Amino acid sequence: MKFAKTIQKFNYPGELIPLPRKLTSSCGMGVKFDFSQDLGGIISEKIEKIYAIKGNQYQLVY
């Protein structure tokens, strides 16, 4: 939830979603958002991973 608020500061709306089973077997939450700039500006120590969605595949980018 904190990350969703962080990206809203940059005017990037995000959607809080349950994590897809392809990414984890536990029931966690994630934020789905569109971002085309350098991720360095939104990375913090609270972020575990960031995936890019390409078609129906997930590509680890952080």
Side-chain angles (χ1 to χ4, degrees), residues 5-62:
K5 290 179 183 180
T6 299
I7 63 169
Q8 287 176 351
K9 291 178 189 176
F10 295 98
N11 292 322
Y12 287 98
E15 175 184 359
L16 197 60
I17 62 167
L19 290 175
R21 291 288 178 207
K22 288 183 179 183
L23 301 180
T24 183
S25 60
S26 64
C27 51
M29 297 299 288
V31 178
K32 184 176 181 178
F33 66 102
D34 289 323
F35 196 79
S36 58
Q37 298 179 11
D38 179 33
L39 291 173
I42 60 170
I43 299 294
S44 75
E45 68 278 353
K46 295 177 177 85
I47 297 172
E48 291 182 25
K49 297 177 185 176
I50 295 178
Y51 289 89
I53 301 172
K54 308 270 180 165
N56 64 351
Q57 300 291 317
Y58 296 90
Q59 178 184 4
L60 183 65
V61 294
Y62 174 81

